[in-house]
Amino acid sequence: MKSSLTAIKGTKDILPEEVRLWQKTEGICRQVFEVYGYREIRTPIIEPTELFVKGTGETTDIVTKEMYTFTDKGGRSITLRPEYTPSVVRAIIEHRLYLQPSPLRFYYFGPMFRHDRPQKGRYRQFHQVDIEVFGEADPSLDAEILEMADYLLHLLGVTERETLINSVGCPVCRPQYLALLREEAEKIKPLLCEDCQRRVEINPLRVFDCKISSCQELASRLPQIKDYLCADCAFHFETFRHWLDFYGLSYRLEPRLVRGLDYYTRTTFEIICSSLGAQNAILGGGRYDHLMKLYGGPDICGIGFAMGMERLLAVANLKIEKDRWLYIVCLGEKAREQGLRLCRELRHVGISALLEYKEKNLKALLARANKLGATWTIIIGEEEVARGECQVKEMASGVQKPVPLAEVEALMQKLYTSTMKLSELNLAESFRR
Ligand code: HAM
């Protein structure tokens, strides 16, 4: 059957088999973040449009072209968040979290929305794993963050990856560089695409974000910020690199890595996987030391990164264990009563169990157990009820044993919480306890 109602272009359903992989990936991220001292924070999907215009930047592609913005019933301009960083900063200011001991470390998982042209690895609704740290200006932290990312990607089995780093300077050195960049960009302006011609006027740094190869080629000959950093920024970058070396992390200097968001200062970085094709960045981030102040909050620096879950899952190498669960089949009314009671008891001690409601013969029920992929089947017939027993069958080996109903919970707990086989269990022994 086909319906004309399908998911919106650039969005996709995550089906139950895939969800397992998402859960495992999220679980590993969560564990690593917690060990590194991060705490989870959750903020709304909708935010005032102004938040992104001001923070992400008026001249960025995200704000000029990609936001899902609408006017709500109260006449307010609302945007489905295209990224997470501005929301975290807003929440910190709103709830005065900056009064807590610093540095503050937060992490987050959730959907983001950008109306870009969909292609492999680029969606209109995608998911980010995000971490942010506030209140620590030391460049050792910049390196610590990349060390954590490296460890996490190692645990997720992402083998072929490359880290790119750059410094985009600060309000002291950037204006001078921007003036020079504009001057040079003006000279090649007629050769640039229409968007870039506009970028030269408004913010020439954005020319480096252009995805058109002829513009990229021309941009590669423009002056690079690394040659115009002030002494403090140069020192910060040097020290950052020193600590990357200390951790034994390899990286490539990429002077054109200005990142497509306006708030960055000093350190920027990306981790790319070439096997992903054109959309090869699995992680992007950097420092944003003035964003909190820009929003009217205290002058507290920040740094963080976000990983795209869809891209991450495309290169992660994780094994998903098969679900282990118990199928209960009952033959007759009395047996069903026993089965329902047992099913409830087992579920309440944490064993995944399902009871079959359809009345069929045993052969058909066992065939169904195999088809459903049950690990064990418990069979309760009238005779078993009379004897106060049930049959436990291990589906993979076909081994089947009679077990007193009063003992089946203990037996199942043993099987469920270990890799022990039914044939390995000395039932008489195990019931003596
Ligand atoms: P971003 O580079 O725009 O940075 O996005 C981070 C990651 O999200 C990308 O590296 C990519 O993996 C994924 N991503 C972005 N757009 C899409 C898309 N349309 N489809 C699929 N995946 C996508 C930020 O968003 C910053 N807020 C990161 C940050 C946190 N900087 C400091 N703190």
Side-chain angles (χ1 to χ4, degrees), residues 83 85 114 121-123 128 132 259 263-264 281-282 304 308:
E83 58 143 340
T85 313
R114 295 183 193 175
R122 188 160 71 200
Y123 305 98
Q128 283 189 344
E132 312 286 353
R259 311 255 311 123
Y263 46 66
Y264 289 117
I282 52 167

Side-chain angles (χ1 to χ4, degrees), residues 75-206:
R76 284 169 294 251
S77 181
I78 305 284
T79 292
L80 299 186
R81 61 179 182 206
E83 58 143 340
Y84 198 60
T85 313
S87 303
V88 189
V89 178
R90 178 201 49 70
I92 289 175
I93 300 170
E94 193 168 330
H95 304 285
R96 311 214 305 165
L97 299 181
Y98 52 77
L99 296 176
Q100 296 175 4
S102 69
L104 297 164
R105 289 175 157 91
F106 296 116
Y107 71 91
Y108 178 77
F109 302 94
M112 308 291 152
F113 304 84
R114 295 183 193 175
H115 192 275
D116 202 350
R117 197 168 43 81
Q119 64 177 83
K120 184 173 165 250
R122 188 160 71 200
Y123 305 98
R124 289 181 173 168
Q125 176 177 335
F126 60 98
H127 298 76
Q128 283 189 344
V129 183
D130 183 286
I131 65 106
E132 312 286 353
V133 187
F134 298 91
E136 182 54 78
D138 194 309
S140 322
L141 172 68
D142 307 25
E144 181 199 291
I145 280 178
L146 279 181
E147 189 279 325
M148 179 175 76
D150 184 73
Y151 175 54
L152 179 57
L153 292 171
H154 160 76
L155 292 182
L156 294 172
V158 181
T159 44
E160 279 170 38
R161 54 184 195 267
E162 190 181 15
T163 302
L164 314 179
I165 63 164
N166 192 24
S167 172
V168 292
C170 69
V172 173
C173 49
R174 206 171 337 162
Q176 215 181 339
Y177 166 71
L178 283 182
L180 175 74
L181 184 64
R182 181 169 288 120
E183 215 178 287
E184 291 302 310
E186 281 289 349
K187 294 181 191 162
I188 54 162
K189 196 170 143 192
L191 305 172
L192 296 168
C193 73
E194 238 174 73
D195 276 345
C196 279
Q197 295 193 0
R198 235 180 329 106
R199 289 170 177 141
V200 173
E201 301 291 324
I202 314 165
N203 183 354
L205 211 55
R206 296 275 76 91

Side-chain angles (χ1 to χ4, degrees), residues 320 343 393 425:
I320 299 295
C343 192
K393 189 176 175 84
L425 271 182

Side-chain angles (χ1 to χ4, degrees), residues 61 166 168 174 177-178 180-182 184-185 188 192 195-196 199-200 203-212 215-226 228 254-261 270:
D61 278 359
N166 192 24
V168 292
R174 206 171 337 162
Y177 166 71
L178 283 182
L180 175 74
L181 184 64
R182 181 169 288 120
E184 291 302 310
I188 54 162
L192 296 168
D195 276 345
C196 279
R199 289 170 177 141
V200 173
N203 183 354
L205 211 55
R206 296 275 76 91
V207 174
F208 292 114
D209 299 333
C210 188
K211 289 152 196 157
I212 297 171
C215 289
Q216 284 177 355
E217 157 63 11
L218 288 161
S220 71
R221 286 183 249 145
L222 289 170
Q224 297 175 347
I225 189 149
K226 71 171 174 34
Y228 300 89
E254 178 45 79
R256 290 184 300 273
L257 185 72
V258 294
R259 311 255 311 123
L261 309 125
E270 271 184 12

Side-chain angles (χ1 to χ4, degrees), residues 1 13 74 92 117 140 183 292 297 357 368 371 402 419:
M1 254 190 289
D13 301 308
I92 289 175
R117 197 168 43 81
S140 322
E183 215 178 287
M292 186 116 41
Y357 288 109
R368 189 161 151 75
K371 196 169 165 205
T419 51

